[in-house]
Amino acid sequence: AYLAARGLDHPGVVDAFELGVADRTLGLRLPEKNRKDGAAIRQRLQRIGILRESGHEHFNGSLVIPVRDAAGQVVEVYGRKLRDDLRPGTPKHLYLPGPHAGVFNLAGVIAAGHRAPGEREVILCEALIDALTFWCAGLENVTSAYGVEGFGEDILAAFKAHGIERVLIAYDRDDAGDRAAEKLSTRLIAEGLEVLRVLFPAGMDANEYARKFAPAEQALALVLRQAQWVGGAPAAAEEKMPEPAPVAEAPPA
């Protein structure tokens, strides 16, 4: 129901991204905690951050999205609270403790790198829900940072390893998103990438935009076509081109 409300009711999205829900039933699926196996696995889950020291689920009440590395190991987990009527100050976005790791939808980045030269571009969102929005609309060359300050070295390394040439930053169109996009653009351009800024209507993110201006496929395709060029490789190449030789004037008759 939550996915449907967010316009993410694509028939393949749950299986493709192994989506789940944390609903306080994890403990029922583990061996009893008074047994050796039960105590050991609970200790491991506490070290990872899935369980808190109290024994409660860290992601309780959340849609849960695992992020796997190229070897298939889960290296990050994202949780989005299903309800918005929470106590003031309750975070809606949760991650595992420690530095962010991994690349969401790494398969999409790899596939983008296999395109023809000049077409190797990736859409970069601010949040995983926004990236899922593009994916459900058929735009699978998409990944996400982990919030406005969550663009990690793993993501940049994946861009470079798979030959990505162009990044379309589709962060939220608010003050925080604009500042983060501007800061990240400078970093990406310095790494040799071309950067464009996807401009949603003021105050909107990708998911809200796609739901308000249905059909999502057409709305998102339009905003990508209208993305504002920020800087990067093409301009640098033009600057390095030699000046054309002056054309000799014809001798007087």
Side-chain angles (χ1 to χ4, degrees):
Y2 176 80
L3 293 175
R6 299 297 298 264
L8 304 175
D9 46 355
H10 185 288
V13 69
V14 172
D15 290 339
F17 295 99
E18 302 176 283
L19 307 183
V21 173
D23 60 358
R24 296 183 180 176
T25 62
L26 176 59
L28 302 177
R29 298 174 180 272
L30 302 177
E32 294 293 333
K33 60 184 177 182
N34 58 2
R35 297 182 180 179
K36 182 178 180 181
D37 291 346
I41 194 169
R42 282 173 170 79
Q43 289 174 0
R44 288 179 61 194
L45 292 174
Q46 285 181 354
R47 285 198 298 270
I48 295 168
I50 298 295
L51 292 178
R52 295 177 177 171
E53 292 185 6
S54 63
H56 293 97
E57 294 180 38
H58 176 59
F59 294 104
N60 181 50
S62 302
L63 170 73
V64 180
I65 308 176
V67 177
R68 295 184 181 271
D69 63 13
Q73 298 296 311
V74 175
V75 292
E76 179 64 275
V77 178
Y78 167 72
R80 172 57 166 88
K81 291 291 187 181
L82 296 173
R83 296 172 56 180
D84 290 322
D85 58 340
L86 304 170
R87 290 196 307 267
T90 302
K92 295 179 181 178
H93 306 275
L94 299 169
Y95 301 93
L96 292 179
H100 295 302
V103 182
F104 177 66
N105 190 28
L106 178 59
V109 176
I110 294 172
H114 287 158
R115 293 180 175 181
E119 299 178 3
R120 296 168 182 165
E121 65 181 30
V122 168
I123 305 160
L124 175 68
C125 296
E126 179 181 321
L128 277 69
I129 295 295
D130 293 327
L132 287 177
T133 302
F134 279 99
W135 190 91
C136 289
L139 297 158
E140 299 182 5
N141 58 321
V142 64
T143 188
S144 176
Y146 303 111
V148 289
E149 297 296 333
F151 182 88
E153 290 298 327
D154 286 356
I155 305 174
L156 178 59
F159 288 174
K160 297 172 77 170
H162 299 291
I164 300 304
E165 303 163 330
R166 185 181 306 111
V167 179
L168 290 88
I169 300 179
Y171 280 16
D172 298 1
R173 189 77 190 281
D174 55 20
D175 289 344
D178 288 342
R179 287 195 300 271
E182 183 177 359
K183 178 180 177 181
L184 180 58
S185 295
T186 301
R187 179 180 176 187
L188 294 177
I189 291 168
E191 294 287 346
L193 292 159
E194 182 184 8
V195 178
L196 289 83
R197 173 72 163 115
V198 179
L199 297 174
F200 303 110
M204 285 192 182
D205 59 27
N207 184 258
E208 182 183 2
Y209 171 78
R211 285 183 287 121
K212 185 169 183 179
F213 297 100
E217 294 84 352
Q218 294 181 19
L220 291 171
L222 175 63
V223 80
L224 290 178
R225 287 198 303 271
Q226 296 177 340
Q228 185 178 80
W229 187 81
V230 178
E238 290 174 6
E239 289 170 3
K240 294 177 181 178
M241 289 180 64
E243 292 291 329
V247 178
E249 294 183 5

